[in-house]
């Protein structure tokens, strides 16, 4: 098998010693490794040779890891990204995951754990969408959810509302996919974090509320009185495909 046939990882890390460690780690697992020492070089490599996964240091010369994460997800919403950082700050973790990163690993880390998390992010990204969305007329093989005046195509990762394209992040699409598989069921914030983000123990559920707020702003006729994505106070959220407006309390 040639290099071009291998799954590839783009490592963006300014420490030479860490570059060598990560290169040995990923090559031992049959991944082709591309190395970039700063944000600008990482962006150039990403555009020239799109990787299967990105492992990204948070603090980089020339361009921050946060800015890179945002740009990568804008260009390739399904690209798995694992962030490395010496900072265990909860706010950083929340921000990076809201920008679309799939995981956040704090230095120092176990090489085996990092490899396992990278592989898990790759599996989640490559998993084929389920077939439980509300069907709609679309080209054969497309998995589409329709409600109100909105259409979400999970196959092409495109969202249209009233005929107008709507920009959605990969994490918002993942949330919508999960809701589409459980219509009219009350789902707790903890279950959403565990299933959609892949974390059983997460420092805060605020990130779920922030995502739900943005989804309502993009897809609800009146975000202040949601019809489709309803809050069940003290528990979580419920997706009601046939949406009837319900006043929010509190």
């Amino acid at each position: 098998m040639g290099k071009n046939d291998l799954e590839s990882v783009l490592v963006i890390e300014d420490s030479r010693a860490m570059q060598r460690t990560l290169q040995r780690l990923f090559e031992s697992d049959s991944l082709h490794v591309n190395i970039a020492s700063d944000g600008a070089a990482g962006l150039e490599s990403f555009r020239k040779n799109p990787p299967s996964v990105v492992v990204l240091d948070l603090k980089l010369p020339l361009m921050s890891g946060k800015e890179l994460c945002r740009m990568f997800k804008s260009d390739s919403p399904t690209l798995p990204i694992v962030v490395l950082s010496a900072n265990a700050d909860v706010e950083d973790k929340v921000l990076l995951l809201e920008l679309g990163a799939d995981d956040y690993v704090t230095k120092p880390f176990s090489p085996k754990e990092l490899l396992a998390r990278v592989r898990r992010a790759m599996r989640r990204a490559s998993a084929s969408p389920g077939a439980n969305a509300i069907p709609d007329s679309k080209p054969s093989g497309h998995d589409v959810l329709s409600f109100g005046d909105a259409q979400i195509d999970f196959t092409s990762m495109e969202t249209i509302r009233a005929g107008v394209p709507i920009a959605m992040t990969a994490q918002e699409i993942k949330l919508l996919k999960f809701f589409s598989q459980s219509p009219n069921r009350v789902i707790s914030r903890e279950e959403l974090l565990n299933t959609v983000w892949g974390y059983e123990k997460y420092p805060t559920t605020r990130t779920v509320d922030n995502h739900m707020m943005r989804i309502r702003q993009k897809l609800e006729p009146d975000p202040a009185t949601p019809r489709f994505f309803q809050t069940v106070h003290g528990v979580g959220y419920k997706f009601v495909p046939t949406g009837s407006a319900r006043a929010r309390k509190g």
Side-chain angles (χ1 to χ4, degrees):
M1 180 181 287
K3 282 187 176 181
N4 292 334
D5 300 318
L6 293 173
E7 291 178 305
S8 63
V9 54
L10 171 58
V11 173
I12 311 176
E13 164 66 62
D14 60 336
S15 163
R16 298 292 183 185
M18 184 61 70
Q19 287 176 5
R20 291 192 293 270
T21 296
L22 294 176
Q23 182 160 6
R24 288 194 297 268
L25 174 66
F26 294 129
E27 286 182 346
S28 72
D29 200 50
S30 301
L31 287 166
H32 175 58
V33 182
N34 291 314
I35 302 281
S37 297
D38 59 62
L43 184 60
E44 181 180 4
S45 178
F46 166 78
R47 289 174 172 166
K48 285 185 177 179
N49 301 292
S52 308
V53 62
V54 171
V55 175
L56 172 67
D57 195 333
L58 190 57
K59 297 189 188 310
L60 292 166
L62 303 184
M63 189 181 298
S64 75
K66 294 175 184 177
E67 182 62 23
L68 274 178
C69 187
R70 184 183 294 110
M71 295 178 73
F72 289 162
K73 284 297 185 176
S74 175
D75 288 351
S76 182
T78 61
L79 174 72
I81 298 176
V82 176
V83 173
L84 303 178
S85 177
N87 187 357
D89 186 78
V90 167
E91 293 300 317
D92 268 347
K93 291 184 180 182
V94 171
L95 175 60
L96 263 295
L97 292 167
E98 288 181 353
L99 289 175
D102 294 81
D103 210 338
Y104 186 109
V105 179
T106 304
K107 300 176 182 177
F109 52 80
S110 156
K112 286 185 177 180
E113 179 187 0
L114 174 62
L115 182 58
R117 291 194 183 204
V118 167
R119 282 298 188 182
R120 183 179 67 175
M122 293 173 71
R123 286 194 300 271
R124 286 205 305 260
S126 63
S128 58
N132 296 322
I134 299 170
D136 187 56
S137 57
K138 266 286 185 177
S140 177
H142 280 241
D143 185 8
V144 179
L145 169 69
S146 294
F147 58 91
D149 58 0
Q151 285 188 338
I152 297 93
D153 188 328
F154 296 113
T155 306
S156 63
M157 300 286 285
E158 295 173 344
T159 300
I160 295 175
R161 183 178 173 200
V164 178
I166 302 293
M168 305 287 290
T169 68
Q171 208 65 27
E172 289 166 355
I173 294 287
K174 288 180 184 178
L175 263 176
L176 290 168
K177 178 66 181 176
F178 187 66
F179 277 118
S180 77
Q181 295 171 336
S182 302
N184 300 303
R185 180 169 76 86
V186 178
I187 305 172
S188 70
R189 292 170 177 84
E190 289 75 16
E191 182 180 352
L192 290 169
L193 282 172
N194 185 20
T195 306
V196 180
W197 277 264
Y199 285 86
E200 293 181 3
K201 295 181 180 178
Y202 196 75
T204 176
T205 57
R206 191 192 70 181
T207 190
V208 173
D209 297 328
N210 290 343
H211 276 74
M212 293 305 302
M213 177 183 68
R214 288 197 291 269
I215 285 174
R216 285 168 168 170
Q217 289 171 344
K218 294 175 181 182
L219 301 179
E220 288 279 2
D222 179 5
T225 309
R227 294 174 53 192
F228 304 107
F229 299 96
Q230 299 179 2
T231 299
V232 180
H233 291 281
V235 183
Y237 296 94
K238 177 170 65 172
F239 171 51
V240 183
T242 55
S244 57
R246 189 177 74 180
R248 297 174 67 189
K249 300 177 182 178

